[in-house]
Amino acid sequence: MLRLNEYLDAEVYRSEHGIKKMIAKHITPSTNAVYLLRKAQVYHKSNSRIKRILSRVYQIKMERRYALYINLDIEIGLGLRLPHPNGIIIGGGCEIGSNVTIFQQVTIGSRVPGGYINGEQPKIKDDVMLFAGSKVLGDIVVASKTWVGANSVIIENTEEGFSYTGLPAKKSRKKHIEFSY
């Protein structure tokens, strides 16, 4: 696991200096949400009782400020982006790779009650984009460089480099352009 400063340098500050660091960390909603999440995650895994209490404080801030309900035990790779941090739900047991972008109202979790206990949670690989309102449900793997369209529901494994849209989501086309946020 990385240290808090490594997460913050890679995801929140992104080459900002001085007053821009403070603005990135506290004012911009997208970076503030990632800042709160990373602090909560790192403190949650600490052996210090005070830090574990602080992790809960940061988690409550995330929930109240942005309606982000993210289990602190999950592993999220470096480079997480939350451009519009509103109403995102990520259940326990999920695995999320590096350079993943998650837009507003996305749900990642099991398809049935108790899925977390049975290990039926999704695994999202690197360089994935989950657009607004999309759902990733069940014991599936979302392959690298996959785009999940707005309001689409993924309930089956995906292939690398394709876009998926619809309910349930189907492969729509080969992705030819790279999107960088």
PDB file of all heavy atoms in Angstrom, residues 14-31:
ATOM      1  N   ARG A  14      -1.215  16.833  -8.485  1.00  0.00           N
ATOM      2  CA  ARG A  14      -0.865  16.773  -9.909  1.00  0.00           C
ATOM      3  C   ARG A  14      -0.062  17.982 -10.360  1.00  0.00           C
ATOM      4  O   ARG A  14      -0.505  18.781 -11.168  1.00  0.00           O
ATOM      5  CB  ARG A  14      -2.111  16.655 -10.771  1.00  0.00           C
ATOM      6  CG  ARG A  14      -2.792  15.340 -10.628  1.00  0.00           C
ATOM      7  CD  ARG A  14      -3.752  15.118 -11.776  1.00  0.00           C
ATOM      8  NE  ARG A  14      -4.647  14.057 -11.409  1.00  0.00           N
ATOM      9  CZ  ARG A  14      -5.950  14.123 -11.508  1.00  0.00           C
ATOM     10  NH1 ARG A  14      -6.525  15.156 -12.020  1.00  0.00           N
ATOM     11  NH2 ARG A  14      -6.697  13.121 -11.128  1.00  0.00           N
ATOM     12  N   SER A  15       1.112  18.114  -9.823  1.00  0.00           N
ATOM     13  CA  SER A  15       2.082  19.159 -10.154  1.00  0.00           C
ATOM     14  C   SER A  15       1.642  20.564  -9.752  1.00  0.00           C
ATOM     15  O   SER A  15       2.113  21.541 -10.312  1.00  0.00           O
ATOM     16  CB  SER A  15       2.446  19.131 -11.645  1.00  0.00           C
ATOM     17  OG  SER A  15       1.394  19.658 -12.424  1.00  0.00           O
ATOM     18  N   GLU A  16       0.729  20.694  -8.806  1.00  0.00           N
ATOM     19  CA  GLU A  16       0.358  22.013  -8.293  1.00  0.00           C
ATOM     20  C   GLU A  16       1.342  22.423  -7.202  1.00  0.00           C
ATOM     21  O   GLU A  16       1.919  21.591  -6.528  1.00  0.00           O
ATOM     22  CB  GLU A  16      -1.064  21.983  -7.718  1.00  0.00           C
ATOM     23  CG  GLU A  16      -2.134  21.584  -8.710  1.00  0.00           C
ATOM     24  CD  GLU A  16      -2.334  22.599  -9.813  1.00  0.00           C
ATOM     25  OE1 GLU A  16      -1.829  23.728  -9.718  1.00  0.00           O
ATOM     26  OE2 GLU A  16      -2.987  22.246 -10.809  1.00  0.00           O
ATOM     27  N   HIS A  17       1.517  23.723  -7.023  1.00  0.00           N
ATOM     28  CA  HIS A  17       2.442  24.233  -6.025  1.00  0.00           C
ATOM     29  C   HIS A  17       1.780  25.354  -5.231  1.00  0.00           C
ATOM     30  O   HIS A  17       0.891  26.035  -5.718  1.00  0.00           O
ATOM     31  CB  HIS A  17       3.718  24.764  -6.677  1.00  0.00           C
ATOM     32  CG  HIS A  17       4.420  23.739  -7.514  1.00  0.00           C
ATOM     33  ND1 HIS A  17       5.126  22.706  -6.962  1.00  0.00           N
ATOM     34  CD2 HIS A  17       4.498  23.584  -8.852  1.00  0.00           C
ATOM     35  CE1 HIS A  17       5.635  21.955  -7.914  1.00  0.00           C
ATOM     36  NE2 HIS A  17       5.255  22.464  -9.090  1.00  0.00           N
ATOM     37  N   GLY A  18       2.243  25.551  -3.996  1.00  0.00           N
ATOM     38  CA  GLY A  18       1.819  26.672  -3.167  1.00  0.00           C
ATOM     39  C   GLY A  18       0.325  26.730  -2.947  1.00  0.00           C
ATOM     40  O   GLY A  18      -0.311  25.766  -2.540  1.00  0.00           O
ATOM     41  N   ILE A  19      -0.261  27.897  -3.235  1.00  0.00           N
ATOM     42  CA  ILE A  19      -1.686  28.131  -2.993  1.00  0.00           C
ATOM     43  C   ILE A  19      -2.544  27.217  -3.864  1.00  0.00           C
ATOM     44  O   ILE A  19      -3.643  26.837  -3.488  1.00  0.00           O
ATOM     45  CB  ILE A  19      -2.054  29.616  -3.216  1.00  0.00           C
ATOM     46  CG1 ILE A  19      -3.442  29.930  -2.676  1.00  0.00           C
ATOM     47  CG2 ILE A  19      -1.982  29.986  -4.668  1.00  0.00           C
ATOM     48  CD1 ILE A  19      -3.481  30.045  -1.187  1.00  0.00           C
ATOM     49  N   LYS A  20      -2.036  26.809  -5.040  1.00  0.00           N
ATOM     50  CA  LYS A  20      -2.790  25.921  -5.911  1.00  0.00           C
ATOM     51  C   LYS A  20      -2.986  24.552  -5.268  1.00  0.00           C
ATOM     52  O   LYS A  20      -3.984  23.894  -5.519  1.00  0.00           O
ATOM     53  CB  LYS A  20      -2.097  25.776  -7.265  1.00  0.00           C
ATOM     54  CG  LYS A  20      -2.204  27.008  -8.119  1.00  0.00           C
ATOM     55  CD  LYS A  20      -1.613  26.776  -9.480  1.00  0.00           C
ATOM     56  CE  LYS A  20      -1.781  27.992 -10.354  1.00  0.00           C
ATOM     57  NZ  LYS A  20      -1.212  27.764 -11.685  1.00  0.00           N
ATOM     58  N   LYS A  21      -2.037  24.113  -4.433  1.00  0.00           N
ATOM     59  CA  LYS A  21      -2.201  22.846  -3.712  1.00  0.00           C
ATOM     60  C   LYS A  21      -3.397  22.926  -2.778  1.00  0.00           C
ATOM     61  O   LYS A  21      -4.214  22.028  -2.708  1.00  0.00           O
ATOM     62  CB  LYS A  21      -0.950  22.522  -2.891  1.00  0.00           C
ATOM     63  CG  LYS A  21       0.049  21.694  -3.584  1.00  0.00           C
ATOM     64  CD  LYS A  21       1.108  21.248  -2.599  1.00  0.00           C
ATOM     65  CE  LYS A  21       2.033  20.258  -3.244  1.00  0.00           C
ATOM     66  NZ  LYS A  21       3.036  19.760  -2.322  1.00  0.00           N
ATOM     67  N   MET A  22      -3.498  24.042  -2.043  1.00  0.00           N
ATOM     68  CA  MET A  22      -4.607  24.211  -1.109  1.00  0.00           C
ATOM     69  C   MET A  22      -5.935  24.267  -1.865  1.00  0.00           C
ATOM     70  O   MET A  22      -6.925  23.664  -1.457  1.00  0.00           O
ATOM     71  CB  MET A  22      -4.436  25.478  -0.282  1.00  0.00           C
ATOM     72  CG  MET A  22      -5.508  25.639   0.775  1.00  0.00           C
ATOM     73  SD  MET A  22      -5.382  27.167   1.674  1.00  0.00           S
ATOM     74  CE  MET A  22      -5.952  28.315   0.456  1.00  0.00           C
ATOM     75  N   ILE A  23      -5.944  24.973  -2.980  1.00  0.00           N
ATOM     76  CA  ILE A  23      -7.173  25.070  -3.776  1.00  0.00           C
ATOM     77  C   ILE A  23      -7.568  23.695  -4.294  1.00  0.00           C
ATOM     78  O   ILE A  23      -8.731  23.302  -4.210  1.00  0.00           O
ATOM     79  CB  ILE A  23      -6.984  26.077  -4.933  1.00  0.00           C
ATOM     80  CG1 ILE A  23      -6.893  27.492  -4.362  1.00  0.00           C
ATOM     81  CG2 ILE A  23      -8.115  25.963  -5.942  1.00  0.00           C
ATOM     82  CD1 ILE A  23      -6.486  28.534  -5.352  1.00  0.00           C
ATOM     83  N   ALA A  24      -6.598  22.950  -4.818  1.00  0.00           N
ATOM     84  CA  ALA A  24      -6.887  21.612  -5.348  1.00  0.00           C
ATOM     85  C   ALA A  24      -7.431  20.699  -4.273  1.00  0.00           C
ATOM     86  O   ALA A  24      -8.351  19.923  -4.502  1.00  0.00           O
ATOM     87  CB  ALA A  24      -5.633  21.011  -5.969  1.00  0.00           C
ATOM     88  N   LYS A  25      -6.873  20.798  -3.074  1.00  0.00           N
ATOM     89  CA  LYS A  25      -7.233  19.887  -1.994  1.00  0.00           C
ATOM     90  C   LYS A  25      -8.584  20.225  -1.366  1.00  0.00           C
ATOM     91  O   LYS A  25      -9.341  19.336  -1.007  1.00  0.00           O
ATOM     92  CB  LYS A  25      -6.129  19.923  -0.943  1.00  0.00           C
ATOM     93  CG  LYS A  25      -6.316  18.985   0.198  1.00  0.00           C
ATOM     94  CD  LYS A  25      -5.077  18.835   1.039  1.00  0.00           C
ATOM     95  CE  LYS A  25      -4.618  20.107   1.666  1.00  0.00           C
ATOM     96  NZ  LYS A  25      -3.520  19.935   2.610  1.00  0.00           N
ATOM     97  N   HIS A  26      -8.902  21.506  -1.235  1.00  0.00           N
ATOM     98  CA  HIS A  26     -10.066  21.895  -0.448  1.00  0.00           C
ATOM     99  C   HIS A  26     -11.217  22.512  -1.226  1.00  0.00           C
ATOM    100  O   HIS A  26     -12.345  22.489  -0.764  1.00  0.00           O
ATOM    101  CB  HIS A  26      -9.644  22.870   0.655  1.00  0.00           C
ATOM    102  CG  HIS A  26      -8.739  22.242   1.663  1.00  0.00           C
ATOM    103  ND1 HIS A  26      -9.152  21.250   2.517  1.00  0.00           N
ATOM    104  CD2 HIS A  26      -7.443  22.452   1.939  1.00  0.00           C
ATOM    105  CE1 HIS A  26      -8.151  20.878   3.289  1.00  0.00           C
ATOM    106  NE2 HIS A  26      -7.089  21.593   2.958  1.00  0.00           N
ATOM    107  N   ILE A  27     -10.968  23.082  -2.376  1.00  0.00           N
ATOM    108  CA  ILE A  27     -12.023  23.825  -3.047  1.00  0.00           C
ATOM    109  C   ILE A  27     -12.608  23.070  -4.227  1.00  0.00           C
ATOM    110  O   ILE A  27     -13.817  23.019  -4.407  1.00  0.00           O
ATOM    111  CB  ILE A  27     -11.503  25.212  -3.485  1.00  0.00           C
ATOM    112  CG1 ILE A  27     -11.151  26.010  -2.219  1.00  0.00           C
ATOM    113  CG2 ILE A  27     -12.527  25.943  -4.320  1.00  0.00           C
ATOM    114  CD1 ILE A  27     -10.513  27.339  -2.466  1.00  0.00           C
ATOM    115  N   THR A  28     -11.787  22.486  -5.056  1.00  0.00           N
ATOM    116  CA  THR A  28     -12.277  21.777  -6.227  1.00  0.00           C
ATOM    117  C   THR A  28     -12.968  20.491  -5.793  1.00  0.00           C
ATOM    118  O   THR A  28     -12.332  19.630  -5.188  1.00  0.00           O
ATOM    119  CB  THR A  28     -11.103  21.439  -7.168  1.00  0.00           C
ATOM    120  OG1 THR A  28     -10.345  22.618  -7.384  1.00  0.00           O
ATOM    121  CG2 THR A  28     -11.598  20.892  -8.482  1.00  0.00           C
ATOM    122  N   PRO A  29     -14.259  20.313  -6.082  1.00  0.00           N
ATOM    123  CA  PRO A  29     -14.970  19.116  -5.609  1.00  0.00           C
ATOM    124  C   PRO A  29     -14.353  17.800  -6.057  1.00  0.00           C
ATOM    125  O   PRO A  29     -14.286  16.850  -5.279  1.00  0.00           O
ATOM    126  CB  PRO A  29     -16.378  19.281  -6.183  1.00  0.00           C
ATOM    127  CG  PRO A  29     -16.534  20.735  -6.407  1.00  0.00           C
ATOM    128  CD  PRO A  29     -15.160  21.243  -6.757  1.00  0.00           C
ATOM    129  N   SER A  30     -13.904  17.724  -7.304  1.00  0.00           N
ATOM    130  CA  SER A  30     -13.370  16.450  -7.790  1.00  0.00           C
ATOM    131  C   SER A  30     -12.121  16.042  -7.019  1.00  0.00           C
ATOM    132  O   SER A  30     -11.968  14.870  -6.659  1.00  0.00           O
ATOM    133  CB  SER A  30     -13.073  16.540  -9.285  1.00  0.00           C
ATOM    134  OG  SER A  30     -12.145  17.563  -9.548  1.00  0.00           O
ATOM    135  N   THR A  31     -11.221  16.966  -6.762  1.00  0.00           N
ATOM    136  CA  THR A  31     -10.010  16.611  -6.023  1.00  0.00           C
ATOM    137  C   THR A  31     -10.270  16.510  -4.528  1.00  0.00           C
ATOM    138  O   THR A  31      -9.642  15.696  -3.852  1.00  0.00           O
ATOM    139  CB  THR A  31      -8.877  17.618  -6.292  1.00  0.00           C
ATOM    140  OG1 THR A  31      -9.348  18.926  -6.012  1.00  0.00           O
ATOM    141  CG2 THR A  31      -8.399  17.510  -7.722  1.00  0.00           C
TER     142      THR A  31
END
